[in-house]
Amino acid sequence: EKQLAWQRTAFHFQPPQNWMNDPNGPLFYKGWYHIFYQYNPNAAVWGDIVWGHAVSRDLIKWLHLPAAMIADRWYDINGVWTGSATLLPDGQIIMLYSGSSNDSTQVQNLAYPADLSDPLLINWIKYPGNPILLPPPGIDPKDFRDPTTAWNTAGGKWRFAIGSKMNRTGISLVYETQDFKSFKLLDGVLHAVPATGMWECVDFYPVSMTEPNGMDTSVNGPHVKHVLKASLDEDRNDYYAIGRYDEEKGIWVPDNPENDVGIGLRYDYGKFYASKTFYDQEKRRRVLWGWITESDNEAADIRKGWASLQAIPRTVVYDQKTGTNLLQWPVEEVESLRTRSKNFINITVQAGSFLPLDVGSATELDIIAEFEIDLEALDKLSDFDEEYTCGTSSGANQRGALGPFGLLVLATDDFSEQTPVYFYITKGSDGNPRTFFCTDASRSSIADDVMDDISGSTVPVLRGEKFSLRILVDHSIIEAFAQGGRTGHHYGINRGMANKSGVKVMMDRNDLLHTLMMTGSST
Ligand code: FRU
C-alpha cells in the first residue's frame, strides 16, 4: 500500500484515479489553463473514453472538474476521442474532436462552451450539425482522426489537419472552412511519408527563427518555420520534423528529408505519445503536452487503480543555434517548486567512481548539472565507433573512450536499484565527436516484470559547449533533458523499491572530466 502511494506523482498531472491517455484541447482562457484528456471513468485500462477536464493557474497545481464531454451521441457513442481547441478572434472557442460512432466509424465533430463568461468552461455544447466530417472516399473509416488546432490563412479562411494513412503511407489531410459550418477537403495532402503507418494526433505549428517567444498557430512568414508532428500508431512514438509551410500550395516540406516525420527526430526517447501543443497567449509561449505511460503492465495498473500521467508541460522553440532541432524545456512555473536547494560546485569525482550527493530524503528533485571536457581531450578522442547507439549498447555498463558520465537517480545506497542518465561520446569516421544522451532503465526496479529499456539519442553539442543536463524526478517518474532541451527522455519507474531518490554522480573511467557545477533542488 505504502509502495503504491509512493509511486503517484506530486507535480505531474494525473486524474485522481483510472485510465488517462492523450491530452486534448489545451488552452488558456480568462486566467486559467485548461487541460482536457482521454479518460476512462470506469477503469484503469483504455475504454469508455470521455473528456476529462481540469484547470490550473500555473500548469502545476490542478483543480479537477466534471467530464467536459461524455459519449452520449450516435456519432461519439464509442468514444469521445482526441481533439484540439481553436480560439477565434471574436472570443469564440471551437473544439474540434473525433468521435467513434455507433458503427465505429471515425467522424469529426465540433463543440463549444455553453457559457463564455465562465472562466472554468464547465459546460460544453455539441454542435447540432455534428458530425461535420465523415471519412472521405478512399480513406478507411477507422483511419481518420484527431483534428489539429485550426490556423487562419492569408485568404482569411481557416484550415486544420487530420491524420490518416493510405496503405502504409502516413498522411495528413487538410480541410478548409470560413465559418466552421461548411468544410472543404483540400486537394492533395499537407505531407505524406511512406512506411510510417497511421498518423495519430498530428500537430502543426509555427516556430520563430529569430525571436525567443512562441507564435500563434496562424502565424507564417519568411522568419517562420513550421513543425509537423505525427504520433506513429505502429511505433508508439512522437516524431517531429522542421520545415516550411507553403500556404498557397497547401504543402509542408521538411528542411532535411533525412529527418522527415516518422523517420527522424522524436520529441522524447522514453515513452511519450499523442502529444499536442497550444499557444499560451498570456506568456507568449508554445507549450507541449504529452501523454506518458509507465513501465508497469496492465495487471499492475488495475491493482493500483490508475494508469499514466501527462509529462511536465514543456515550452518549445526552434533551436536557433543548431537550426536542426527544437528546444524543449519544462515550463518556468516548475521552478517555483524549488523550496530547498543544494549546490555542489566544483566537486571532484575520481575517474571511474561514483559519488553520492547528499540530497536528503527528497522524493522530488529538479537537478541541473554541467560537465566540462577539455577540448584537447575531445580532439584526441580516437575511438571510431560508428555502431554505437544507446538502445543497442549494454547501457551504463558499457565503457567507451569518453563515457558514460552523468548521474544515477532513484538510486538505493547499495546500487540494487538505479537509473543512470548519462552522456557517451564516440567519434565518427568524419573525425567529429558524436554525443549520445541515454537513460538505462535496466536496473531501475528489482521487480522483474517492468519495462527495462536502454534508450536515448544523439544530441548536438557545439564546440566548446559544456555537457549539460536537467533531470526532474517526481516519485516514480524521471524526465531528463540534455543541452538545454535539444533532446529528452521520460521514464516511469514504477514499483521501484527505493523510497527516496538517491543521486550519485557517475564518472567516466578516464580522468578527463571535471564536474563544474550541479545544483540540485528538492521540493
Ligand atoms: C492516440 C489515440 C487517438 C484517438 C485516441 C482514442 O492515443 O488512439 O488517435 O483519438 O487515442 O483514445
Side-chain angles (χ1 to χ4, degrees):
E1 288 290 300
K2 230 173 109 197
Q3 201 63 40
L4 291 184
W6 174 81
Q7 292 163 3
R8 274 187 72 88
T9 63
F11 60 91
H12 282 74
F13 180 77
Q14 295 185 279
Q17 57 182 6
N18 292 327
W19 169 271
M20 169 173 65
N21 54 296
D22 316 359
N24 292 156
L27 61 96
F28 179 83
Y29 188 66
K30 291 191 193 288
W32 294 88
Y33 291 99
H34 289 253
I35 181 77
F36 305 86
Y37 54 92
Q38 295 284 286
Y39 182 57
N40 182 348
N42 306 316
V45 298
W46 186 87
D48 301 340
I49 296 290
V50 304
W51 273 37
H53 183 195
V55 290
S56 172
R57 289 279 192 191
D58 61 3
L59 291 166
I60 305 290
K61 296 182 289 298
W62 295 90
L63 177 67
H64 295 282
L65 296 175
M69 292 194 275
I70 58 169
D72 57 359
R73 306 297 159 93
W74 70 266
Y75 54 76
D76 62 14
I77 198 81
N78 275 310
V80 189
W81 286 4
T82 281
S84 307
T86 304
L87 309 185
L88 301 188
D90 67 359
Q92 264 292 337
I93 299 173
I94 299 275
M95 207 57 98
L96 282 160
Y97 73 95
S98 297
S100 179
S101 77
N102 49 8
D103 68 354
S104 294
T105 296
Q106 292 168 10
V107 301
Q108 312 314 319
N109 304 308
L110 200 150
Y112 42 86
D115 176 9
L116 281 171
S117 72
D118 169 17
L120 302 187
L121 302 172
I122 297 210
N123 295 312
W124 289 78
I125 292 175
K126 293 177 185 173
Y127 174 57
N130 283 343
I132 56 161
L133 299 173
L134 302 174
I139 293 294
D140 189 288
K142 290 199 168 66
D143 293 330
F144 182 58
R145 57 185 181 274
D146 310 333
T148 64
T149 294
W151 63 94
N152 208 320
T153 59
K157 292 194 174 151
W158 294 91
R159 289 181 186 171
F160 55 90
I162 296 180
S164 188
K165 70 169 187 216
M166 293 190 88
N167 300 317
R168 279 199 59 237
T169 298
I171 61 172
S172 176
L173 304 168
V174 178
Y175 286 83
E176 193 170 73
T177 181
Q178 188 97 52
D179 53 7
F180 289 93
K181 290 194 171 81
S182 63
F183 302 85
K184 184 181 125 200
L185 175 62
L186 297 187
D187 286 341
V189 292
L190 180 65
H191 194 57
V193 182
T196 53
M198 173 66 193
W199 284 10
E200 297 189 307
C201 302
V202 167
D203 197 11
F204 185 58
Y205 56 91
V207 286
S208 174
M209 296 168 65
T210 50
E211 305 288 323
N213 49 284
M215 297 179 126
D216 181 89
T217 311
S218 297
V219 176
N220 200 356
H223 302 295
V224 173
K225 293 209 179 194
H226 269 78
V227 175
L228 181 60
K229 185 277 299 189
S231 303
L232 300 202
D233 195 14
E234 292 179 13
D235 161 292
R236 310 307 291 171
N237 288 301
D238 276 17
Y239 286 85
Y240 76 87
I242 300 172
R244 296 279 193 170
Y245 177 44
D246 183 333
E247 194 178 281
E248 220 158 292
K249 293 202 184 106
I251 58 169
W252 172 92
V253 179
D255 285 351
N256 174 2
E258 279 174 28
N259 268 349
D260 207 340
V261 180
I263 59 174
L265 301 174
R266 280 163 53 178
Y267 277 140
D268 192 292
Y269 290 82
K271 290 204 174 185
F272 185 94
Y273 195 65
S275 66
K276 183 180 298 303
T277 61
F278 75 103
Y279 179 61
D280 171 2
Q281 68 275 24
E282 175 85 347
K283 292 203 164 177
R284 302 184 66 215
R285 59 185 172 178
R286 183 161 288 273
V287 177
L288 172 69
W289 278 105
W291 164 44
I292 61 190
T293 53
E294 297 121 306
S295 51
D296 263 351
N297 54 36
E298 196 169 285
D301 288 342
I302 292 167
R303 230 166 25 239
K304 298 194 306 237
W306 55 271
S308 81
L309 55 141
Q310 302 294 333
I312 282 296
R314 305 169 178 182
T315 55
V316 279
V317 293
Y318 176 69
D319 186 350
Q320 291 171 20
K321 281 195 189 143
T322 62
T324 58
N325 54 277
L326 296 172
L327 293 175
Q328 310 170 62
W329 204 238
V331 293
E332 62 186 14
E333 286 86 341
V334 173
E335 291 159 34
S336 69
L337 299 173
R338 294 174 179 171
T339 51
R340 283 189 290 150
S341 106
K342 292 209 174 187
N343 295 323
F344 305 93
I345 297 170
N346 283 334
I347 50 176
T348 310
V349 185
Q350 296 300 314
S353 73
F354 296 90
L355 179 82
L357 297 174
D358 179 12
V359 294
S361 60
T363 48
E364 296 155 38
L365 294 167
D366 183 351
I367 306 163
I368 292 172
E370 285 186 335
F371 299 84
E372 192 177 66
I373 300 178
D374 297 336
L375 278 176
E376 238 177 88
L378 264 184
D379 289 341
K380 274 198 227 123
L381 195 64
S382 60
D383 186 24
F384 292 87
D385 185 350
E386 287 288 316
E387 303 297 310
Y388 187 89
T389 67
C390 301
T392 54
S393 74
S394 46
N397 282 338
Q398 182 167 331
R399 303 279 151 188
L402 258 178
F405 61 95
L407 299 176
L408 311 184
V409 293
L410 292 177
T412 51
D413 290 342
D414 64 358
F415 293 90
S416 60
E417 289 186 340
Q418 50 168 299
T419 307
V421 178
Y422 54 94
F423 291 102
Y424 188 101
I425 306 172
T426 66
K427 195 171 191 172
S429 49
D430 61 357
N432 293 318
R434 269 163 74 78
T435 303
F436 291 82
F437 183 58
C438 319
T439 295
D440 177 352
S442 62
R443 280 163 297 165
S444 291
S445 169
I446 57 173
D448 58 10
D449 57 347
V450 298
M451 176 191 86
D452 58 358
D453 317 25
I454 299 160
S455 64
S457 65
T458 56
V459 57
V461 180
L462 305 182
R463 194 169 166 82
E465 276 184 348
K466 290 165 194 155
F467 294 76
S468 65
L469 58 80
R470 179 165 181 198
I471 308 176
L472 300 178
V473 180
D474 188 0
H475 294 251
S476 58
I477 296 300
I478 297 172
E479 286 188 71
F481 303 87
Q483 301 308 111
R486 288 187 189 138
T487 189
H489 314 150
H490 146 269
Y491 276 86
I493 314 299
N494 276 10
R495 287 182 300 138
M497 297 298 136
N499 57 6
K500 67 175 172 117
S501 103
V503 180
K504 300 175 207 279
V505 182
M506 169 173 59
M507 256 321 147
D508 179 75
R509 66 174 173 188
N510 294 303
D511 209 359
L512 299 171
L513 300 162
H514 310 286
T515 310
L516 269 196
M517 190 195 74
M518 277 201 44
T519 64
S521 176
S522 53
T523 61

